[in-house]
Amino acid sequence: MTSRGPLTLAALASAAVPGLDPDSVEGVVTPSVSPFDVAFVQDHDHRRWVVRAPRTPAASAQLEQSAALLALLARRLTMPVPAVKGWAALPEGGRACVSSYLTGRMVDVASIAPGSTLAAGLGRALAQLHNLDVRIYEEAGVPVYDAAAYRARRLAELDRAAATGRVPTGLLGRWEGILDDESLWGFTATPTHGAIGPGTILASPDDGDEPDVKGFLGWESAQVADPADDLAPLVGELHPEALDTVLEAYAHARVERPDKHLQRRARLVHEMQLVRTMMVAVAAGDDAGAERRAAELRRLDEQLAAEEEAERARLEAKGADRAASATAASGDATSATDDASADEARADKATAADGNADEQSAPAPAARSAQVTQPVATAAVAAQATPDADPEDSDADEAVEVEPAPPAQPVAVAAPLDADGEGEGDDGQDHPQQDSDLQQDVGASEDSSGGADETAASLPEAPRRPGTDHATAEIVPINDEDDGDDIIPVHPRR
């Protein structure tokens, strides 16, 4: 793996773009396992450029593919994409790439508010990308998968991770169950970004208006695959209401209706990201980093197990309450029916007794025909009409007036949660808070490099230049007598 300092990258930029006369260079701190060296160069005309040099042959191939794709996307997307302006050959093979610097500010995914312009804009931007013709990606030569091939790829990744012995059996069983359920994987493969996250979402500069999504950076992991890949970081980071805003805008802007299992697969992809970063550490021989990821996997296993147990207990409690309500309602109805039957029997008996008495004291036929007989509506009315009547007869009225209890209503139970234009910036605009290359490098390497920059999470945070959200070396004037080629903070960016 070859690594280069900021001054070397500035020289490559000068060689790649005719007329580019570097005035200063700002080296971006990247982790040792990052596939690219990155620097920002400012020329005498105050234009800013991003220089990236691949460290490995695989990274070189990725860089070439993404550049070809960006040239095609620039003519088909309304949002800007980094424009490649030149190439410089490297001694060991491959080429360094120089692209324009996109102004804007980086978006902290977790801070996106529900109902905000930023949340809706993110959903629309993703929909615009997923609506692209697959043939554009095929022409650029990036990987293309259908649903079955992509599911098989995920299973193979899980098998390799299981072979390390570092993945808890609970997680393995959970993920294998989801991957084995073919009904969840009937999606239509779409063009994806592949590395949506905190380092790759660029928002419009803060000029007093509510910010909106300007574009995406870090296209090295772009491929035709599951659209859930681009939603996975949002499922894991966004507030549920903010996620609803994103998904609503996304669904409205999609040409095809999103499949109903999209969120469930997105959650799976988010959970399995830890496995991918662990495997990057294993491949790099970083045992300490691999063990840290294994510890995180164990914590995730415990968390998901606790959530499932709590959900199971909640469902059981709801079921018990519903059964008790149904039993109580049935008992009340039976009791009311029995009481009504008893009261009817007493009323019949009383009526028969009254009939006998009437027969004994019946008037002559002529007199009887002159009498008007009225039925008694209730025992209470009869009691008022005949003060000497037996008080117990009033029970018949009380029993008749009882309304039977309504049938038990079904309880709605929530389903358990499933575990898984081109622009050239200058310093005259708001300080750009983005790192267009770092986002294209480190942010995009969440898929290709598995976020290996987290392997130094326990180290102190690297110094940051005011007005930026990334750690860089000090700005090195090109004409300075000091050789600042190796002036890079000792601690990698987290």
Side-chain angles (χ1 to χ4, degrees):
M1 180 179 290
T2 304
S3 183
R4 296 169 179 83
L7 288 180
T8 301
L9 295 175
L12 290 170
S14 180
V17 181
L20 192 162
D21 187 7
D23 185 60
S24 64
V25 60
E26 183 179 1
V28 176
V29 177
T30 55
S32 59
V33 295
S34 173
F36 303 103
D37 291 309
V38 185
F40 298 140
V41 174
Q42 181 167 301
D43 63 17
H44 285 299
D45 295 326
H46 304 289
R47 296 176 300 178
R48 284 174 66 82
W49 309 83
V50 183
V51 188
R52 284 178 299 156
R55 293 176 174 174
T56 64
S60 181
Q62 269 192 319
L63 194 58
E64 298 277 354
Q65 287 180 345
S66 64
L69 177 62
L70 291 173
L72 297 173
L73 294 181
R75 303 193 296 268
R76 292 169 173 84
L77 293 177
T78 59
M79 53 184 167
V81 296
V84 177
K85 296 299 186 179
W87 299 86
L90 300 175
E92 70 279 5
R95 299 188 297 174
C97 175
V98 180
S99 58
S100 57
Y101 183 95
L102 295 180
T103 59
R105 66 183 185 85
M106 294 312 303
V107 175
D108 178 11
V109 176
S111 68
I112 297 178
S116 64
T117 299
L118 196 58
L122 180 55
R124 289 191 296 268
L126 287 174
Q128 182 184 171
L129 173 60
H130 294 175
N131 286 338
L132 288 174
D133 193 329
V134 171
R135 290 174 293 184
I136 299 173
Y137 275 48
E138 293 174 343
E139 182 180 349
V142 299
V144 176
Y145 301 95
D146 59 18
Y150 198 62
R151 173 170 162 264
R153 183 169 178 258
R154 288 288 187 190
L155 281 167
E157 288 177 354
L158 189 57
D159 289 341
R160 287 194 298 271
T164 66
R166 288 187 166 101
V167 183
T169 56
L171 289 180
L172 284 176
R174 172 190 178 87
W175 294 340
E176 287 174 349
I178 298 175
L179 288 168
D180 287 338
D181 188 351
E182 295 185 6
S183 65
L184 303 179
W185 298 88
F187 63 87
T188 299
T190 63
T192 65
H193 179 279
I196 295 296
T200 60
I201 304 174
L202 184 65
S204 55
D206 187 2
D207 55 3
D209 296 329
E210 188 174 358
D212 198 353
V213 171
K214 179 177 183 178
F216 299 129
L217 305 170
W219 291 83
E220 284 74 21
S221 298
Q223 59 186 4
V224 175
D226 188 353
D229 286 0
D230 286 344
L231 295 174
L234 308 182
V235 168
E237 297 291 336
L238 284 178
H239 184 280
E241 294 181 3
L243 179 62
D244 289 343
T245 303
V246 172
L247 293 177
E248 181 179 1
Y250 173 81
H252 287 168
R254 279 300 309 271
V255 172
E256 297 182 3
R257 182 178 181 179
D259 71 274
K260 62 182 179 180
H261 301 299
L262 183 64
Q263 275 189 260
R264 188 172 184 186
R265 294 196 312 275
R267 190 167 297 280
L268 171 69
V269 174
H270 174 68
E271 292 173 2
M272 288 186 64
Q273 184 61 41
L274 276 176
V275 170
R276 307 181 80 178
T277 56
M278 183 190 74
M279 294 307 293
V280 169
V282 170
D286 182 5
D287 291 338
E291 187 52 42
R292 280 197 297 272
R293 293 295 181 272
E296 292 177 13
L297 284 170
R298 290 191 291 271
R299 287 194 292 271
L300 176 63
D301 183 38
E302 295 172 357
Q303 174 188 339
L304 294 178
E307 290 177 358
E308 290 178 352
E309 182 61 31
E311 183 65 19
R312 188 181 302 110
R314 188 180 71 83
L315 292 175
E316 290 177 354
K318 288 287 187 182
D321 290 344
R322 183 166 54 187
S325 298
T327 301
S330 176
D332 291 344
T334 302
S335 177
T337 301
D338 292 342
D339 290 345
S341 299
D343 291 335
E344 287 177 1
R346 286 198 297 271
D348 291 343
K349 184 177 180 180
T351 301
D354 291 342
N356 293 334
D358 290 341
E359 289 179 359
Q360 293 175 1
S361 58
R368 186 185 301 123
S369 63
Q371 293 179 351
V372 179
T373 304
Q374 296 181 350
V376 178
T378 62
V381 176
Q384 293 175 3
T386 57
D388 296 334
D390 188 352
E392 290 183 0
D393 288 344
S394 63
D395 291 342
D397 176 57
E398 294 176 359
V400 171
E401 297 295 328
V402 172
E403 296 182 1
Q409 299 296 320
V411 179
V413 180
L417 293 175
D418 293 303
D420 36 76
E422 167 185 341
E424 294 179 356
D426 57 65
D427 290 340
Q429 291 186 342
D430 271 354
H431 55 76
Q433 290 185 316
Q434 59 119 338
D435 162 0
S436 79
D437 178 27
L438 182 58
Q439 298 139 19
Q440 292 176 1
D441 171 21
V442 179
S445 64
E446 282 296 320
D447 184 73
S448 60
S449 299
D453 53 329
E454 298 179 12
T455 56
S458 60
L459 296 176
E461 185 172 1
R464 297 171 183 259
R465 185 168 64 86
T468 67
D469 68 342
H470 55 273
T472 65
E474 62 182 88
I475 298 178
V476 180
I478 299 300
N479 296 324
D480 192 11
E481 294 182 358
D482 271 342
D483 182 6
D485 196 40
D486 295 320
I487 302 179
I488 298 180
V490 296
H491 300 306
R493 178 176 184 269
R494 292 193 291 173

